[in-house]
Amino acid sequence: MMLFLVLTTAKAQAPTFARGADVSWCTEMENNGKKFYNAEGTETELMALLRQTGLNAIRLRVWVNPENVYGPWCDKADVLVKARRAKAQGMALLIDFHYSDRFTDPGQQYKPSAWTNYNMEELKAAVTNHTTDVLSALQAEGIEPQWVQVGNETRPGMIFNEGKIDWSKSGAAAWSGYIALSNAGYDAVKSVLPDTKVIVHIDKGPEDNAWFFNAFKQYGGKFDMIGLSHYPDWTNWSSDNTKTANNVTTLGSTFNVPVMIVETGYSAWDESRAANVMKDLFTKTQNLSACAGIFYWEPEVYGSWKPAAYQTWGWNAYDKGAFTSEGKPSAAIAAFKDETSGIPVTDIQYDNAPVRWFDLQGRSIDKPLNGVAIRQQGRNTCKVVKGKR
């Protein structure tokens, strides 16, 4: 017998200060049998749990065709599943386009396999089409992200080699490929969602980053917001937090745009220490006029869990989760609970709306047969297990 519980729904608005988390791994973790619990030990759907904890925003990464490289996660269908769940809790949404089939960062900006032989014009068209396709699919579900990243940690550029910053050249010539591709993403976002803020994101929050955005803007790059990654040092975390806060102020005033820490995290080995680090970071940034918010990267990870692809690649498990070994939010995420302004919550029932079913990969199904499925009715979305909510 299937038992259903209708979730409280909410219409998300851009919060005054985003207190968010990137939980892109959640469906993969659930598929591996991981569950999440509130402080009392009651199993709770992750988005609802984070909302109860005090978060008001969710960040989700998007890959192009990850199935043969990573697995069937973080593609458009999987992102839609998670976005529906975030929307059901009234959470604001940040979509993070990697323009790859796997993780991108300063050390790896791999071109999607389907784009391997594309020239620059074809790559720009591919960026446009992929961005438009994903955002249009979200929009069709009544989901309009408040923020969109065009690229992830793009300090060296994006979509190598055509979009790599070429330091053998000078001036605009060095930046031309990267800016052309980044602007293709920017324009695509605006074509679907004109009011959505577009973020250009780089790493190394504590370092001076003004040079990057000076050049990016000088040579024609477009952005509405600046995104930074900030992973405080184990020992010098207070100094790192101070430097990042100072950089937020400098970047905001120099370029007259909001600045958001779109990734942060701290070692899970010492929960109380991690809590102090996060509280210190909030203390130093949340009242800055330039700072638009902070997102914790994959706080839901706990125990020894890691993606199957990590095993294949020889990577260690992520060690900066903010959940306890029992699958409960740890003290490290407590700094996110102090404000949920900007998110009005309304109890609206959608009993007359048609019911739609999806598997955990976001693929539409006629009805669930066994195991876990996603049930959507209007704006209500919940995970359903046979015999359980």
Side-chain angles (χ1 to χ4, degrees), residues 113-295:
S113 58
W115 305 358
T116 299
N117 297 317
Y118 287 3
N119 60 32
M120 176 55 77
E121 292 304 312
E122 291 168 330
L123 285 174
K124 288 193 294 184
V127 167
T128 297
N129 293 337
H130 172 60
T131 305
T132 302
D133 179 47
V134 173
L135 295 181
S136 296
L138 288 166
Q139 189 180 54
E141 298 277 348
I143 303 169
E144 296 194 350
Q146 284 70 25
W147 315 278
V148 172
Q149 280 183 225
V150 288
N152 190 76
E153 294 189 333
T154 59
R155 179 184 295 269
M158 59 193 285
I159 313 177
F160 290 176
N161 285 316
E162 287 80 358
K164 187 174 185 178
I165 300 173
D166 187 352
W167 296 115
S168 69
K169 299 177 182 177
S170 60
W175 291 74
S176 62
Y178 166 44
I179 289 176
L181 293 171
S182 183
N183 283 353
Y186 181 99
D187 292 341
V189 175
K190 295 298 186 179
S191 72
V192 181
L193 303 169
D195 297 328
T196 291
K197 300 297 186 183
V198 180
I199 299 172
V200 170
H201 169 216
I202 63 174
D203 62 324
K204 299 182 180 179
E207 295 189 9
D208 178 11
N209 293 300
W211 67 270
F212 178 94
F213 291 98
N214 271 322
F216 186 83
K217 185 175 182 179
Q218 178 183 353
Y219 301 130
K222 304 175 186 179
F223 58 96
D224 303 320
M225 293 182 70
I226 289 172
L228 298 175
S229 290
H230 169 52
Y231 292 94
D233 180 76
W234 171 259
T235 303
N236 298 315
W237 54 266
S238 181
S239 175
D240 278 356
N241 284 349
T242 298
K243 290 176 181 177
T244 295
N246 290 339
N247 285 339
V248 166
T249 297
T250 299
L251 291 169
S253 61
T254 301
F255 300 100
N256 195 31
V257 296
V259 182
M260 185 178 284
I261 300 171
V262 296
E263 291 185 23
T264 194
Y266 192 77
S267 175
W269 289 105
D270 188 332
E271 181 180 342
S272 62
R273 187 185 183 103
N276 288 336
V277 174
M278 288 297 111
K279 290 175 184 176
D280 181 71
L281 179 60
F282 270 87
T283 297
K284 291 173 177 174
T285 59
Q286 64 185 332
N287 294 319
L288 298 177
S289 59
C291 193
I294 301 174
F295 284 76

Side-chain angles (χ1 to χ4, degrees), residues 53-66:
T53 302
L55 276 71
N56 58 21
I58 293 295
R59 178 180 186 248
L60 300 173
R61 62 179 165 268
V62 187
W63 293 329
V64 179
N65 292 304

